[in-house]
Amino acid sequence: MKYYLAIDIGASSGRHIVGWKEDSEIRTKEVFRFSNGVQKKDGHLVWDIGHLEAKVKEGIDIALKEYDLTSVSIDTWGVDYVLLDKEDKILGKTYGYRDSRTNGMDEEVYKIIPEKDLYQRTGIQKAIFNTVYQWMAVKKNNPEHMEAAETMLFIPDYFNYKLTGVKVNEYTEASTGQLLNPETKDWDYELIEMLGYNKNMLCP
C-alpha cells in the first residue's frame, strides 16, 4: 500500500496528514499538528521561518515511524516568500502578508503600469499584499536585498528546497504573486524588468 504525506500550513496552525487508498476509498489520518502565527519584530509582522521548518521535519519524522511514505507535499498560504543570498541564507525578514510595509506600494506600481493593464497582463485580482506590491516595498525600503538576492522562493517552495535541495516554484503558488503570464505559464519577465525587480532571482 502506498502512503502519501500532505503538510498543510495555514496562518494560525499546520498539520501533517497521511493519505492512502483502501477498498476503493481514500482514507486520511492526521499524525501531527502545530501552532503558527506572525510575530511583531521591529514594528513589522514576520514569520518564524525557522520554527516552521523545524515543525515540518518533526512531523515527517513522526509520520515515518508509522508509515512507509511514497511522497511528501507541502502547501501554505500564498504571496509570501524568502529571498536567499549566494550562500542560501535568508536576506532580511520573512514578512507576513498583512504587514503594513505594502501600504502605498500599489500607487508606486501604478506609476509604472496602470492597474487595469496589470490585471490584463496577469489575470489576478488585486490585493495589497500580492507579491508584486511586496517587492516594490523591498525595492523602496531595502534595495540591497533585492540586488543581493540570488534566489526567490515562495514559502512552501522554500520548505521543499530545504528537504530536497531543489529550487523551483510551484505554478499555482507563484500565480498568487501577480507576476506570471497566464498565456506562457511562466514569469512575466517584461513586467518584472519594467518594475525594476531582480529577474535573476527567479526560479523555474
Side-chain angles (χ1 to χ4, degrees), residues 29 80 97 118 144 147-148 158 187-188 202:
K29 180 182 177 181
D80 290 345
Y97 59 92
L118 179 62
E144 71 281 6
E147 184 177 345
Y158 173 73
W187 298 108
D188 189 334
L202 303 175

Side-chain angles (χ1 to χ4, degrees), residues 38-56:
V38 289
Q39 303 177 353
K40 196 158 190 177
K41 290 187 177 180
D42 302 321
H44 291 282
L45 299 177
V46 299
W47 300 109
D48 186 345
I49 206 77
H51 164 76
L52 292 177
E53 182 184 346
K55 290 301 180 181
V56 164

Side-chain angles (χ1 to χ4, degrees), residues 78-137:
V79 306
D80 290 345
Y81 60 90
V82 296
L83 298 180
L84 304 178
D85 65 15
K86 61 183 179 181
E87 297 177 348
D88 292 326
K89 303 296 183 184
I90 295 177
L91 289 162
K93 300 177 175 65
T94 304
Y95 291 97
Y97 59 92
R98 296 202 181 279
D99 182 66
S100 61
R101 73 195 177 112
T102 56
N103 291 348
M105 292 302 125
D106 51 347
E107 296 304 321
E108 294 297 324
V109 168
Y110 302 151
K111 289 177 183 177
I112 301 169
I113 178 171
E115 181 179 359
K116 181 181 178 181
D117 293 348
L118 179 62
Y119 177 75
Q120 187 171 20
R121 291 184 74 112
T122 62
I124 299 297
Q125 182 179 353
K126 176 189 175 178
I128 191 60
F129 46 68
N130 285 354
T131 317
V132 67
Y133 307 117
Q134 292 202 41
W135 287 1
M136 184 57 72

Side-chain angles (χ1 to χ4, degrees), residues 111-181:
K111 289 177 183 177
I112 301 169
I113 178 171
E115 181 179 359
K116 181 181 178 181
D117 293 348
L118 179 62
Y119 177 75
Q120 187 171 20
R121 291 184 74 112
T122 62
I124 299 297
Q125 182 179 353
K126 176 189 175 178
I128 191 60
F129 46 68
N130 285 354
T131 317
V132 67
Y133 307 117
Q134 292 202 41
W135 287 1
M136 184 57 72
V138 178
K139 178 183 170 183
K140 292 290 183 180
N141 302 322
N142 301 103
E144 71 281 6
H145 293 164
M146 177 72 71
E147 184 177 345
E150 292 281 327
T151 307
M152 186 289 303
L153 291 170
F154 289 97
I155 300 296
D157 303 318
Y158 173 73
F159 295 137
N160 281 324
Y161 157 65
K162 296 296 285 186
L163 292 173
T164 67
V166 178
K167 296 176 180 177
V168 295
N169 282 301
E170 192 274 325
Y171 179 79
T172 57
E173 179 74 20
S175 74
T176 67
Q178 207 172 351
L179 291 155
L180 293 187
N181 182 322

